[in-house]
Amino acid sequence: MTTDLRKAAPAPVGAPRPPRGYLRIGTRVALPVQRSSVVVVLGALAALVLASVATLTLGRLGIGLTDLPGAVFGAAEGKDAFVLDRLRGPRLVTGIATGAAFGLSGTLFQTVTRNPLGSPDIIGLSTGAGAGAATFALLLPGVPVWIGAVLGAVGAMALVYVSTGTGFRNPGRLVVAGIGVAAIATAIIQYVVYVVERDAATSLTAYLNGSLAARSWSDATTVWVVLLATAPLCALVSRHLAVGEMGDEISASLGSDPGRTRTAAVVLSIVLAAGAVTVAGPIAFVALIAPQVARRITRGAGPRLVLSALMGALLLVLADLAAQQLPFFDDLPVGIYTMAVGGLYLGYLLTREWRRGSL
């Protein structure tokens, strides 16, 4: 099997040749790929690797740079083994998958709503998942928290859908309804924090702000299972979403079912956001920023799934690196840093949409 961005070895006589700009695998599979997108993806992947290396090596407890390859491949001992297996390794692996899940969730929802503000943060999905997780942790301590996160996310989206009167079609109503639902979910979260015991409330508050501290390999396994299980389904629905950007009539004429496509994308977005919230809490604005950065770098239409996932992972790893290494704010949850950056970016987006008359 050969793989090339333009063409591989000469195909058998009579075999169709994919046009330029396609990735050809053998003689039967051709995937649409732009050279510029491949370069950007490789650059984002390299940046993620560098940020990961910095996470493991910087600071007083960091693993020496020359010792890192051996430690990663099974030769870690003493302090290095503790840092890699208990302190920073699970935290890093969880952060990468969580950021990728938020990035995928955001790009799916923004594509469905055709609105850069239609992210899980703004319309209450992440906050609803956090409220569900907090409620289950308080009222049903024996039930897995992820069930509460999923139910909270579904409930929040159902409330948004009904309260707009037009589903997810009107961007302005969607944002207003989402802000209202997010406020309700936040009130539930604050009530839960108020009624639980003080020690438990401290831990719960860190979680609800979004935190990667004290994460275990089981947390990493949970979010990676969600991510890997939904990724193929996201790839299947992405082609129909790209066609749907031309309008429902054109999409239907090309054999796509716009309503079913939107439903599938929303369900996948909810599952991804709920999986991320379960292990790290409702970390703010990663799902909003990552898809927008991916679109602006590639300057293309349609969901940029791979790049959005990489950008989400990179943003969260960098934010967590700041949470661990900045000397002025010890032990702040990573969500505080993403709030600071995301709030500025949200203000920019709101101003731009207002000037365009979209709000």
Side-chain angles (χ1 to χ4, degrees):
M1 181 179 71
T2 58
T3 302
D4 195 355
L5 288 180
R6 290 196 175 182
K7 62 180 182 179
V13 176
R17 288 182 177 273
R20 294 177 63 181
Y22 276 66
L23 171 66
R24 180 173 175 173
I25 305 176
T27 60
R28 295 181 178 273
V29 179
L31 303 175
V33 174
Q34 296 178 350
R35 277 179 174 266
S36 59
S37 297
V38 173
V39 172
V40 172
V41 166
L42 291 177
L45 187 59
L48 179 59
V49 171
L50 291 175
S52 301
V53 170
T55 297
L56 296 174
T57 58
L58 293 180
R60 182 171 55 87
L61 293 176
I63 301 172
L65 190 59
T66 57
D67 299 328
L68 183 60
V72 170
F73 291 105
E77 297 180 353
K79 176 182 75 72
D80 290 353
F82 172 76
V83 171
L84 189 63
D85 296 334
R86 300 285 299 276
L87 187 62
R88 297 188 186 178
R91 180 171 183 160
L92 173 62
V93 175
T94 301
I96 290 173
T98 300
F102 275 129
L104 282 176
S105 178
T107 194
L108 287 173
F109 224 106
Q110 288 178 15
T111 304
V112 167
T113 60
R114 302 173 191 173
N115 181 8
L117 295 174
S119 82
D121 308 294
I122 306 304
I123 62 176
L125 195 157
S126 295
T127 315
T135 302
F136 268 57
L138 172 66
L139 301 179
L140 301 170
V143 179
V145 174
W146 67 265
I147 297 178
V150 172
L151 293 178
V154 172
M157 289 303 92
L159 189 56
V160 169
Y161 187 92
V162 172
S163 60
T164 60
T166 57
F168 299 125
R169 292 192 294 273
N170 187 297
R173 292 185 181 183
L174 179 66
V175 172
V176 173
I179 291 173
V181 170
I184 295 173
T186 301
I188 295 173
I189 290 172
Q190 295 301 324
Y191 172 76
V192 171
V193 172
Y194 178 78
V195 299
V196 298
E197 296 178 0
R198 180 175 300 176
D199 293 340
T202 301
S203 175
L204 185 59
T205 300
Y207 166 80
L208 294 174
N209 280 320
S211 176
L212 292 174
R215 292 302 173 259
S216 65
W217 288 115
S218 63
D219 295 319
T221 300
T222 298
V223 69
W224 272 104
V225 167
V226 172
L227 182 62
L228 294 178
T230 55
L233 301 176
C234 292
L236 289 175
V237 80
S238 66
R239 182 174 65 88
H240 297 286
L241 286 174
V243 174
E245 290 194 340
M246 295 184 289
D248 288 353
E249 293 183 1
I250 295 178
S251 177
S253 68
L254 293 175
S256 178
D257 186 332
R260 185 176 298 176
T261 298
R262 282 194 290 266
T263 300
V266 169
V267 169
L268 288 171
S269 181
I270 290 173
V271 172
L272 284 163
V277 169
T278 297
V279 300
I283 297 176
F285 292 118
V286 174
L288 172 71
I289 298 175
Q292 293 300 308
V293 173
R295 280 180 177 249
R296 278 160 175 72
I297 291 177
T298 57
R299 298 183 180 274
R304 293 291 186 263
L305 297 181
V306 175
L307 188 55
S308 294
L310 284 174
M311 285 299 171
L314 178 60
L315 287 170
L316 190 51
V317 170
L318 288 175
D320 192 49
L321 180 62
Q324 294 181 65
Q325 300 300 331
L326 285 183
F328 308 108
F329 311 102
D330 288 339
D331 298 326
L332 277 182
V334 66
I336 302 296
Y337 291 89
T338 60
M339 283 182 193
V341 176
L344 295 174
Y345 190 75
L346 176 61
Y348 160 74
L349 278 182
L350 287 170
T351 303
R352 192 190 67 172
E353 293 300 306
W354 175 75
R355 288 178 177 174
R356 288 182 174 181
S358 299
L359 295 177

